[in-house]
Amino acid sequence: MTEKKIQIVIVGGGAGGLELAARLGARYGRKRHDIILVERNRTHVWKPLLHEVAAGSLDANLDEVGYRAHCRRWGYRYFCGTLEGIDPAARQIVIAPLLDEDGSELIGRHRIRYDYLVLAMGAVTNDFGTPGAADHCMLLDSRADADRFRNRLLDHCLRVSRAMTADPASDAHVKVAIVGGGATGVELAAELYNAAAALAYYGLEVFDEKRLEVTLVEAGPRILPALPEWLSDAARQELETLGVRVATGMQVTEVTRGEIVAASGERIAADLMVWAAGVKACPLPGGVGELELNRINQFVVRETLQSSRDDRIFAIGDCTSCLLPGRERPVPPRAQAAHQMASAVYRNLVRMMEGRALEPFVYRDHGSLVSLSRFSTVGSLMGNLVGGRMAIEGRLARFVYVSLYRMHLIAVHGWLRGLALIVVGHIERVIRPRLKLH
Ligand SMILES: Cc1cc2nc3c(=O)[nH]c(=O)nc-3n(C[C@H](O)[C@H](O)[C@H](O)COP(=O)(O)OP(=O)(O)OC[C@H]3O[C@@H](n4cnc5c(N)ncnc54)[C@H](O)[C@@H]3O)c2cc1C
């Protein structure tokens, strides 16, 4: 009789899950273990790049990782599918039916057994139930969202460019409203100006960034609340110099077709509206058994990153609620947290296989960096990296910001391939067009 393999199932191949699948696959291979990655998409794009994909400054085709090729190289198995529910009592997960483009069923609803399960499904934008937001605002949760935004942006730029050609005195503008003055909203606002400036090279000769009207709406008293006040002021100044209207202290109460409505009664008209404030985890329609969830559907975990109610289930990244002892706030939903949690769960799974006690997760906040496209980068480095807290700006900040993605490339592809991809990325930047226009 053949021995049953130990099955470790990871759901979600994003910033945390893909790194973990590669490490577990490389360590255990397929002899006595089956490392299975369940992911609803066929390719991975690192989420912090999505605002660049949305603005067109990055061609995601060049930076995406195909799961099938990646799993073959790293010794894990990839299942294309969407997690629908978890049955901890039976140690099984339920995968939704897989449909083709026409909606015909390719694979029916089925179950996958696990010995150990790692949940790494990330999170989505939280519109806090604001009326009209879900119907009228675009999101930046996935590659498809970013592509959709870019296509609509280009259409509007083309419309304005045509109006200007027909009548040079025309007052046509592309109006974009972004709700949320956190890193995503700020980075997107700056990136849009970078993209608009480049459009003149690519056929829209009469169009320039002055034709862009971006309003960044933030409910709090300042943008980038996670950064020191003077850095958030510096970022605000930089954005205003570009032409962005930064509206702080503005609570959005409703979104209608073409308008954002504030509590004060002010209405901001826009061709494109993006909701980029807050996160929540997606509820699973098939339920999660007895597993504990918080009020935004994140899985509550202990210090070891095991579910509070099940030793065999771990959760990492944005879908996790992890309040470490002595801390007032849970670990934040960031790429560096997903990366560190993936490493911690890797070590703990190895310990479990070897019958050793698990170690607690220690989160090291290396700071926050916010890219204002080619114009600037601001942020703060914290903790071990600089021996305290240090605010940084400019070239050094840009270098560290770009290094985050380089570390992800190395974690996902290994040193040799990772470094080769970094070099190829530099060459691509020189030889490719500055914008993706299709
Ligand atoms: C525009 C933007 C800019 C950002 N910039 C930064 C930054 O500069 N620095 C930073 O630290 N963080 C940044 N973040 C946050 C960062 O991207 C996330 O914290 C990080 O990606 C979380 O990693 P994760 O592995 O938990 O989830 P993700 O990377 O989101 O991966 C989740 C994966 O799970 C898959 N999935 C989801 N549900 C299911 C399901 N039911 N079944 C199967 N698969 C599923 C998804 O397709 C996805 O591949 C940014 C986010 C955005 C949107």
Side-chain angles (χ1 to χ4, degrees):
M1 205 176 82
T2 50
E3 194 189 337
K4 226 177 182 184
K5 290 185 183 180
I6 297 175
Q7 206 143 289
I8 304 178
V9 177
I10 302 158
V11 186
L18 186 58
E19 294 186 13
L20 181 63
R23 288 187 74 179
L24 287 172
R27 174 153 187 141
Y28 291 112
R30 298 186 55 180
K31 225 171 162 192
R32 290 183 46 231
H33 293 76
D34 251 340
I35 312 297
I36 297 177
L37 175 67
V38 177
E39 163 61 52
R40 60 185 175 189
N41 294 321
R42 289 185 167 83
T43 58
H44 158 76
V45 175
W46 197 53
K47 216 172 166 186
L49 296 178
L50 286 184
H51 64 281
E52 293 183 38
V53 178
S57 6
L58 183 94
D59 184 346
N61 291 328
L62 304 174
D63 275 77
E64 68 188 346
V65 181
Y67 289 109
R68 282 202 194 287
H70 189 259
C71 76
R72 169 143 185 80
R73 189 176 144 67
W74 288 95
Y76 66 89
R77 290 162 71 198
Y78 157 64
F79 277 26
C80 185
T82 302
L83 179 75
E84 196 178 63
I86 306 171
D87 182 351
R91 281 198 220 147
Q92 290 178 343
I93 55 171
V94 183
I95 307 297
L98 184 65
L99 309 179
D100 68 11
E101 276 186 11
D102 305 322
S104 310
E105 194 172 284
L106 288 174
I107 304 174
R109 177 174 290 105
H110 61 285
R111 288 176 165 243
I112 299 178
R113 77 162 181 93
Y114 63 81
D115 293 295
Y116 301 99
L117 175 66
V118 184
L119 302 167
M121 288 96 70
V124 292
T125 310
N126 191 350
D127 64 21
F128 308 103
T130 309
D135 295 330
H136 303 294
C137 285
M138 303 186 75
L139 307 173
L140 273 193
D141 283 336
S142 65
R143 156 91 188 268
D145 290 339
D147 283 341
R148 203 173 307 125
F149 179 87
R150 187 187 60 254
N151 288 334
R152 288 207 197 162
L153 175 71
L154 286 171
D155 286 349
H156 282 292
C157 293
L158 189 62
R159 184 178 52 74
V160 168
S161 171
R162 296 286 283 179
M164 288 164 68
T165 311
D167 172 12
S170 152
D171 186 32
H173 284 83
V174 178
K175 295 177 184 165
V176 183
I178 303 170
V179 181
T184 306
V186 169
E187 290 187 332
L188 178 65
E191 203 59 59
L192 289 177
Y193 280 84
N194 179 35
L199 277 174
Y201 289 99
Y202 301 116
L204 274 66
E205 282 128 18
V206 288
F207 189 86
D208 65 34
E209 63 269 39
K210 291 191 206 81
R211 291 290 162 169
L212 201 57
E213 259 183 41
V214 178
T215 307
L216 182 66
V217 180
E218 166 58 44
R222 65 185 175 98
I223 57 168
L224 302 174
L227 293 186
E229 200 163 340
W230 75 268
L231 272 179
S232 95
D233 288 347
R236 181 185 183 127
Q237 253 176 32
E238 191 76 49
L239 288 177
E240 286 177 343
T241 309
L242 290 175
V244 179
R245 177 188 166 207
V246 181
T248 46
M250 185 181 278
Q251 185 86 39
V252 176
T253 50
E254 193 189 347
V255 182
T256 61
R257 198 181 170 84
E259 269 185 344
I260 294 226
V261 185
S264 62
E266 186 181 343
R267 300 175 95 88
I268 297 167
D271 303 305
L272 286 168
M273 295 179 285
V274 186
W275 195 279
V279 296
K280 63 174 183 197
C282 268
L284 295 176
V288 298
E290 295 297 305
L291 299 184
E292 188 185 357
L293 300 173
N294 69 3
R295 66 186 165 80
I296 53 165
N297 287 314
Q298 290 169 314
F299 293 91
V300 178
V301 294
R302 288 169 265 160
E303 259 186 291
T304 50
L305 299 179
Q306 288 163 295
S307 154
S308 58
R309 305 235 173 100
D310 192 315
D311 283 356
R312 286 174 181 266
I313 300 181
F314 293 80
I316 62 173
D318 289 5
C319 71
T320 306
S321 168
C322 176
L323 182 63
L324 295 172
R327 302 277 180 117
E328 278 171 18
R329 287 161 171 252
V331 177
R334 297 225 202 111
Q336 57 170 316
H339 166 74
Q340 291 178 35
M341 286 176 162
S343 302
V345 167
Y346 169 76
R347 285 193 299 273
N348 273 344
L349 280 169
V350 170
R351 283 171 166 266
M352 257 182 160
M353 304 298 151
E354 294 170 353
R356 291 190 286 147
L358 304 200
E359 57 183 25
F361 170 60
V362 180
Y363 175 60
R364 294 195 171 82
D365 187 344
H366 295 316
S368 312
L369 291 162
V370 179
S371 163
L372 301 170
S373 187
R374 68 188 158 90
F375 308 107
S376 180
T377 301
V378 297
S380 66
L381 295 182
M382 285 182 235
N384 297 350
L385 216 58
V386 289
R389 186 179 169 117
M390 182 178 89
I392 58 170
E393 224 186 324
R395 275 170 189 265
L396 174 63
R398 180 76 203 158
F399 176 78
V400 183
Y401 180 84
V402 173
S403 304
L404 274 178
Y405 181 48
R406 292 184 178 152
M407 276 160 55
H408 177 67
L409 283 179
I410 289 167
V412 165
H413 296 286
W415 276 99
L416 212 60
R417 276 189 177 227
L419 288 174
L421 282 168
I422 291 165
V423 174
V424 170
H426 279 291
I427 298 170
E428 297 271 16
R429 214 156 296 143
V430 176
I431 62 174
R432 295 267 170 185
R434 278 167 58 192
L435 280 188
K436 178 173 160 61
L437 299 152
H438 54 277

